[in-house]
Amino acid sequence: MVIMIISIAGFMFLLTLLIFGKTLRAESYKRDQMRAMRNEVKYLDEELEKPFFQRFIQPLWKKMAKGLSRMASRMNRKSGKKNNANSVLEAQLKKAGIKMGPHEYQLMKMFFYGIILSGGIFAALSLSDDVRIQLLMLLAAMMAMVTIPRYFLKAKIKKRTEAIQNDLPNVMDVLSVSIEAGLGFDAAVLRAVDKLEGPLIDELAQMAKEIQMGLSRRDALTALGERNEVSELQMFVSAVVQSEQFGTPIKNVLNSQAKQLRTSRKQRAQEKGMKAPIKMTLPMVIFIFPVIFIILLGPTVINIIDEFM
């Protein structure tokens, strides 16, 4: 029992570091990209200024993920099969904005499975002596092991897609104003990356870095649309590519695209508002109506029972 408690505490410690280190990783990722795009020198003294997570836990985690990746690649070579699940998972992680490889995500899932299974066993042994209840607790823990990672990944993809859809008109306005002020498209993108935040800005930063590394603007924009699979973003990419191909002013394209995206965003908000009463029906029936019935009919039922007793 003591070993189980220590293992659960260790798992919870690692999970806490992973959760709270997300903000630090995102800020460090953006800062490093901006330094690379501006060709700034990175001094060795900055390594000591990094938090404990980035100096110790993150490299250790990456080594474990690389070991798992090598093991999986060796098994695939021996079996002669192509692992398409990793490529699908890698695409889903990119859509969700999770900056880790498929093997690193699988390693994180293994830690999560260990936490849930250890917690289920501990709860089953400590809360009840009935074998049936213990089996039900273990079954609930196994169901949580299967459903929570899938729901988490789908929720992250949906949330990031909505964030990109909502941020796209504002980013287009910044790009349009920057281009009208005399900047080129690449300089306008760097200006937006420097001033704004969000998942769309991270994608634009990656696109700008690819352009500076020698990739053509058309290929970088096409890769941007393929990474995210957001219809509005793909429409923006195709409009910019066509503007560059046919020589039309890009600021007019951005203005029209921003107006159209604002209209679609307003329509999505109205659609969600129309769906709200329907979604509120089930909680009202379960939680509110029984209380109202008890308040209104409770005294009457008590009087009827007193009359017949």
Side-chain angles (χ1 to χ4, degrees):
M1 186 65 68
V2 176
I3 297 175
M4 185 182 298
I5 294 173
I6 294 174
S7 61
I8 293 173
F11 284 136
M12 292 300 295
F13 176 72
L14 290 175
L15 186 63
T16 304
L17 288 176
L18 288 172
I19 292 173
F20 288 100
K22 180 182 177 182
T23 305
L24 297 174
R25 291 199 306 269
E27 288 297 326
S28 176
Y29 178 75
K30 183 177 179 180
R31 188 167 58 249
D32 292 341
Q33 280 191 332
M34 292 302 299
R35 279 203 190 97
M37 286 186 285
R38 294 173 179 173
N39 295 322
E40 292 183 359
V41 180
K42 187 175 180 182
Y43 297 98
L44 294 177
D45 293 338
E46 294 184 1
E47 187 69 22
L48 299 176
E49 297 179 359
K50 291 183 179 180
F52 175 75
F53 178 84
Q54 294 183 1
R55 286 190 288 113
F56 181 74
I57 301 296
Q58 193 172 8
L60 180 61
W61 184 267
K62 288 182 178 181
K63 287 181 181 179
M64 295 172 64
K66 286 182 181 179
L68 183 63
S69 177
R70 294 193 193 98
M71 187 185 303
S73 61
R74 288 172 186 171
M75 293 176 64
N76 291 331
R77 283 198 299 267
K78 289 181 180 179
S79 60
K81 296 180 180 179
K82 294 182 179 179
N83 195 357
N84 295 324
N86 287 334
S87 59
V88 174
L89 181 59
E90 186 177 2
Q92 290 178 348
L93 292 174
K94 289 181 179 179
K95 294 177 187 177
I98 301 175
K99 297 178 179 64
M100 61 175 64
H103 297 290
E104 191 174 356
Y105 182 75
Q106 294 287 352
L107 183 61
M108 185 176 177
K109 282 175 65 175
M110 290 172 60
F111 275 98
F112 177 76
Y113 290 162
I115 294 171
I116 295 296
L117 187 59
S118 301
I121 294 173
F122 179 75
L125 295 177
S126 60
L127 296 179
S128 178
D129 295 332
D130 193 354
V131 179
R132 291 174 294 182
I133 296 177
Q134 292 177 353
L135 291 176
L136 287 175
M137 289 183 179
L138 291 176
L139 182 61
M142 294 176 66
M143 291 178 63
M145 287 168 52
V146 176
T147 56
I148 289 178
R150 294 182 181 179
Y151 174 78
F152 171 77
L153 192 57
K154 290 181 180 179
K156 290 284 290 183
I157 293 173
K158 184 178 179 180
K159 183 178 179 181
R160 191 169 184 271
T161 301
E162 292 178 352
I164 291 175
Q165 290 174 346
N166 293 329
D167 293 342
L168 197 53
N170 300 329
V171 173
M172 283 189 180
D173 285 338
V174 174
L175 293 177
S176 178
V177 170
S178 301
I179 291 173
E180 288 179 355
L183 297 177
F185 180 77
D186 298 341
V189 169
L190 291 177
R191 179 78 175 176
V193 169
D194 195 15
K195 296 296 181 182
L196 301 177
E197 295 180 353
L200 180 58
I201 298 302
D202 296 336
E203 292 294 333
L204 291 177
Q206 185 174 353
M207 183 195 72
K209 188 175 180 180
E210 290 174 353
I211 293 174
Q212 289 189 350
M213 291 174 64
L215 194 66
S216 64
R217 184 188 300 172
R218 182 174 182 178
D219 293 338
L221 286 167
T222 304
L224 174 66
E226 291 176 353
R227 278 196 307 269
N228 295 277
E229 294 185 1
V230 180
S231 59
E232 288 83 358
L233 185 59
Q234 290 178 347
M235 185 169 58
F236 160 72
V237 168
S238 62
V240 174
V241 170
Q242 289 178 2
S243 174
E244 183 181 359
Q245 184 177 0
F246 295 108
T248 57
I250 193 171
K251 62 179 182 179
N252 298 332
V253 174
L254 294 175
N255 288 329
S256 61
Q257 288 282 325
K259 292 179 182 178
Q260 185 177 357
L261 289 172
R262 278 197 176 86
T263 303
S264 63
R265 185 173 64 181
K266 183 179 179 181
Q267 291 175 353
R268 286 197 305 271
Q270 291 175 350
E271 182 182 357
K272 289 182 179 180
M274 296 295 290
K275 290 180 180 179
I278 301 174
K279 293 181 179 179
M280 290 172 61
T281 303
L282 185 61
M284 289 178 64
V285 170
I286 296 176
F287 299 106
I288 297 177
F289 286 167
V291 178
I292 295 175
F293 291 152
I294 291 171
I295 294 173
L296 295 178
L297 301 179
T300 305
V301 172
I302 292 173
N303 292 330
I304 292 174
I305 292 173
D306 291 338
E307 289 292 336
F308 284 99
M309 291 299 292

